[in-house]
Amino acid sequence: MPISVLNEIHDCLSLALGATERRAGYTQAEREARSYVRTALRRVEKLTEVAA
């Protein structure tokens, strides 16, 4: 996969986390969803390191 695609995915995941951030607490479903996004973000970061 081209590094440009990985960077785009990384940016989208980062934006998704930022867009759903709030000071009040999260529901269980929101916590789980944000956890999945953070996991995906870490995996993309690892792939980006390998591809660089």
Side-chain angles (χ1 to χ4, degrees):
M1 183 173 298
I3 191 81
S4 61
V5 173
L6 292 173
N7 286 331
E8 186 176 349
I9 292 169
H10 181 277
D11 291 346
C12 289
L13 291 169
S14 294
L15 287 171
L17 277 178
T20 60
E21 189 174 341
R22 60 180 176 189
R23 291 184 179 167
Y26 298 102
T27 66
Q28 179 64 29
E30 289 169 328
R31 284 193 299 273
E32 288 177 16
R34 288 177 56 82
S35 175
Y36 293 137
V37 171
R38 284 191 304 273
T39 299
L41 189 56
R42 283 191 300 272
R43 289 183 180 184
V44 169
E45 287 171 351
K46 285 183 182 181
L47 288 172
T48 302
E49 290 170 7
V50 171

